[in-house]
Amino acid sequence: MKTIEDEDTMPPLVAVPLPPENLPVAKSHDFPSSENWPLVSLVTVLVLLSLWWLATNRGWLPPLWLPSPEAVGKAYLASFRGELQGGRTLFDHFLWSFGRVVIAFLLASATAIPIGLLMGVSRLARSVFDPIIEFYRPLPPLAYLPLIVIWFGIDETAKILLIYLACFAPLAVSARAGVRSASLEQIHAAQSLGASRYQVLFHVILPAALPEILTGMRIAVGFGWTTLVAAELVAATVGLGQLVMNASNFLRTDIVLMGILVIGVVAWIFDLGMRCIEQHFVPWKGRA
Amino acid sequence: MSVALKRMDKRDVSESDSARARSRQSLSIRNLSVRFGGSGQNVLALSRLNLEIAAGDFVVALGASGCGKTTLLSCIAGFIEPSAGEILLGGQPVKGPSAERGVVFQKHALMPWLDVLGNVEFGLRMRGIAKAERQGIALDKIHAVGLEKFARHPVYKLSGGMQQRVGIARSLASNPDILLLDEPLGALDALTREQMQELILKLWHAEEKMVFFITHSVEEALFLATDLLVMTPSPGRILHRFKLPFSRRYVESGDARKVKSDPEFIRKREEILSLIQNGHH
């Protein structure tokens, strides 16, 4: 039997496992649960798919209005093999869209995060950039798309710029807000340990801002995919957004639906990736 | 108790040898006044306060909220520039925060993106000390606070008491002349709190540093202090300074319960409680 005094300098970190007893796990009433039941989510998806299948196969809805799952599957295979519209494969479309989103996102990260951080620490930077960002941030990208086309033409520059602008605002805003994440105690502690102004900035304020910056990046990637279709409206010949827009001109709703599903799945995988990055870099998020 | 204490004592001997080699410092505070103004408030947080802390003193400031004890600590730490008066450390005026004045906060002061070792070596790293040397010093301090098994643990997974041990080790690693502790045990449960009080006394004895410690708890103040300051608010000032024997008694005997249940300890506790109540009204 250990006494409390023995543990005086060394409290155990891990509880000692007890022999199992056939008791139910105690229930606690705390936060409304933030987890979901994967099984229920799966059932939801299956029910929706069955309804879709029933509605199309029983003829409840005309095929133009809602193409059948089989038609969408066929469109997918045809597109995958490059048998549709100009012979581009689905992977080709994906690669171009992926490239545009990634390039725009990386450019936005490289510029918006430093500017946001600067806005967080400098009154001058805040005064300069605040009116610009706050003005354009709520504008729908489609509204200023014509201007961008007139200024930058119809090639890749215009498309990437549009996605870039969509990513820029959430990145800058989150980086700016992140600067406030370091506690006064953390800053004072660093100063009392001999850290200079710049060391406080780089070794305390910057790492403390990382969770907010990563949240901003996650939102920005989502915005990037959302803006993609708008960007590819502009005389694109290849890309997932262009695939959908082009198919809609020919009333090929099977291809439209297939394209939407592909964009959705790709964006979802991106989000999962961002969450993994968050878990890896800031496992301490919300636990400081 | 005896097992743990013997383990500490062995280390204490070797550490106090190196501590004795250092020059002894003193802290003098003269006519210190702090006025907080702006946005409608005008508070005299400290008024013409004088205080001398000599090498080896364990000074505890005790008082109700608003008596200026945290303001006093912030002035010594260099977080606040006083409205008037001066603070001299080893004859040199205090200006801004510096590694010669280590601070331990109540909470929220560790860097969760660093592990225990990373936190403890932080100050040494900021001052450009080579990796091998600074990690040696840091591991030594981690050992001194009893966390040697947790050097590579993330700090956010540690209990509150263990986090405070990290905070103390971090301050000690920079080898400050004076250690400032702002209610470091205020957020801990009663049992952990008593363990930490004993640890702090052992470290104080081993390192021979000046300590300035803030608390709300009369019993904690009595147990830790060689010099107890009873402070009163509006304006913040020192009402009385007591010389107390209990911390040295603990260091000699290693029996905290015996010290705390001594009739003299209890008599002193009642005396100070009534002083605070009468001085406060």
Side-chain angles (χ1 to χ4, degrees):
Chain A
M1 175 83 189
K2 269 185 144 187
T3 64
I4 290 153
E5 284 80 14
D6 284 337
E7 295 176 4
D8 139 288
T9 56
M10 186 58 53
L13 189 70
V14 189
V16 183
L18 295 168
E21 274 182 72
N22 287 330
L23 289 174
V25 175
K27 281 180 193 160
S28 60
H29 297 271
D30 36 38
F31 261 102
S33 168
S34 60
E35 307 285 304
N36 46 9
W37 288 309
L39 202 66
V40 175
S41 302
L42 193 68
V43 167
T44 308
V45 173
L46 288 178
V47 165
L48 278 174
L49 285 176
S50 331
L51 274 176
W52 177 23
W53 185 81
L54 269 177
T56 47
N57 278 266
R58 291 289 172 92
W60 297 346
L61 293 166
L64 177 63
W65 216 82
L66 185 70
S68 67
E70 295 97 314
V72 172
K74 258 186 217 153
Y76 175 80
L77 283 176
S79 177
F80 190 80
R81 296 194 198 103
E83 291 160 1
L84 294 173
Q85 305 173 9
R88 293 273 199 176
T89 63
L90 186 60
F91 189 66
D92 231 12
H93 287 294
F94 160 75
L95 224 52
W96 275 89
S97 295
F98 176 81
R100 284 166 188 150
V101 171
V102 167
I103 290 171
F105 172 70
L106 290 180
L107 285 175
S109 297
T111 47
I113 293 171
I115 286 175
L117 291 172
L118 209 59
M119 286 171 75
V121 294
S122 148
R123 189 173 275 189
L124 177 66
R126 200 153 51 234
S127 311
V128 170
F129 290 107
D130 210 36
I132 306 172
I133 291 177
E134 288 308 315
F135 172 72
Y136 99 82
R137 192 168 61 93
L139 296 178
L142 276 175
Y144 51 80
L145 179 59
L147 266 185
I148 286 178
V149 169
I150 290 167
W151 292 343
F152 296 95
I154 54 169
D155 58 5
E156 292 305 315
T157 316
K159 299 183 193 72
I160 288 172
L161 184 65
L162 197 73
I163 303 173
Y164 171 89
L165 287 172
C167 293
F168 190 94
L171 286 168
V173 169
S174 66
R176 173 187 170 170
V179 168
R180 296 261 147 243
S181 302
S183 70
L184 190 60
E185 286 89 348
Q186 283 171 329
I187 292 168
H188 276 164
Q191 289 171 337
S192 298
L193 291 165
S196 67
R197 245 181 88 106
Y198 285 97
Q199 284 178 325
V200 168
L201 190 61
F202 284 102
H203 294 280
V204 182
I205 289 173
L206 205 60
L210 208 54
E212 295 237 23
I213 292 174
L214 284 172
T215 304
M217 288 172 86
R218 214 176 123 194
I219 294 169
V221 167
F223 275 25
W225 283 104
T226 313
T227 318
L228 177 74
V229 177
E232 291 181 345
L233 270 173
V234 193
T237 54
V238 62
L240 291 173
Q242 184 271 340
L243 179 76
V244 171
M245 290 314 300
N246 195 28
S248 80
N249 290 339
F250 295 96
L251 297 179
R252 286 291 303 270
T253 41
D254 53 338
I255 302 176
V256 171
L257 206 54
M258 183 272 292
I260 288 171
L261 289 176
V262 170
I263 292 175
V265 168
V266 168
W268 180 66
I269 291 170
F270 255 71
D271 196 58
L272 279 187
M274 290 303 298
R275 272 194 245 181
C276 286
I277 290 173
E278 260 187 356
Q279 253 311 305
H280 181 75
F281 283 103
V282 290
W284 45 273
K285 183 181 177 180
R287 303 162 80 174
Chain B
M1 168 52 58
S2 54
V3 178
L5 199 61
K6 262 175 206 150
R7 218 178 332 126
M8 285 297 296
D9 282 343
K10 243 179 235 168
R11 275 202 302 281
D12 287 356
V13 174
S14 63
E15 276 179 16
S16 57
D17 283 343
S18 65
R20 273 187 203 102
R22 279 196 310 275
S23 66
R24 295 183 167 224
Q25 299 268 23
S26 69
L27 185 95
S28 347
I29 296 172
R30 291 176 194 156
N31 282 319
L32 192 75
S33 295
V34 174
R35 191 176 72 85
F36 289 125
S39 63
Q41 62 161 346
N42 188 356
V43 181
L44 197 55
L46 288 176
S47 175
R48 298 185 149 273
L49 185 141
N50 288 288
L51 177 65
E52 295 287 328
I53 302 179
D57 281 355
F58 198 124
V59 178
V60 177
L62 178 70
S65 304
C67 71
K69 53 194 195 300
T70 296
T71 306
L72 177 55
L73 183 137
S74 297
C75 287
I76 302 173
F79 304 146
I80 295 177
E81 276 181 39
S83 312
E86 60 177 357
I87 302 174
L88 301 171
L89 179 62
Q92 296 296 311
V94 159
K95 210 165 166 19
S98 148
E100 69 202 8
R101 284 160 278 125
V103 185
V104 179
F105 300 85
Q106 187 173 5
K107 49 184 171 178
H108 304 311
L110 296 179
M111 322 288 178
W113 50 90
L114 300 173
D115 60 14
V116 169
L117 181 62
N119 271 277
V120 176
E121 70 168 352
F122 184 87
L124 302 170
R125 186 157 65 93
M126 292 303 106
R127 276 178 292 146
I129 290 164
K131 191 171 180 178
E133 189 189 345
R134 69 172 190 246
Q135 294 203 335
I137 297 170
L139 285 170
D140 197 42
K141 300 304 170 192
I142 290 169
H143 194 83
V145 298
L147 288 180
E148 60 274 16
K149 283 184 192 152
F150 301 101
R152 284 299 178 186
H153 268 254
V155 289
Y156 60 85
K157 285 190 179 165
L158 301 180
S159 68
M162 293 168 94
Q163 289 186 351
Q164 287 309 74
R165 287 171 196 248
V166 177
I168 293 167
R170 175 172 73 173
S171 294
L172 291 178
S174 288
N175 193 17
D177 298 319
I178 184 166
L179 203 55
L180 310 166
L181 300 104
D182 189 1
E183 289 189 48
L185 312 182
L188 304 181
D189 64 88
L191 197 65
T192 310
R193 194 168 180 153
E194 298 215 324
Q195 292 170 359
M196 291 295 289
Q197 290 169 1
E198 293 176 34
L199 174 70
I200 287 170
L201 281 185
K202 288 169 198 163
L203 292 170
W204 162 70
H205 179 63
E207 302 254 346
E208 298 191 322
K209 292 192 186 308
M210 293 183 278
V211 176
F212 182 80
F213 187 105
I214 287 177
T215 183
H216 275 119
S217 157
V218 176
E219 190 168 292
E220 182 167 282
L222 278 173
F223 182 60
L224 294 177
T226 61
D227 297 78
L228 173 59
L229 311 175
V230 177
M231 296 183 68
T232 52
S234 31
R237 64 197 190 284
I238 296 168
L239 190 67
H240 208 292
R241 177 170 182 162
F242 292 91
K243 283 273 181 196
L244 295 173
F246 305 111
S247 51
R248 294 202 194 281
R249 275 186 203 167
Y250 168 73
V251 167
E252 280 154 24
S253 71
D255 189 343
R257 284 268 53 97
K258 194 178 153 211
V259 173
K260 286 184 184 176
S261 57
D262 188 1
E264 193 188 344
F265 187 90
I266 293 163
R267 204 164 47 242
K268 212 70 184 174
R269 188 182 70 200
E270 297 310 312
E271 182 188 338
I272 286 164
L273 273 171
S274 69
L275 179 70
I276 290 172
Q277 275 152 12
N278 295 333
H280 196 194
H281 47 191

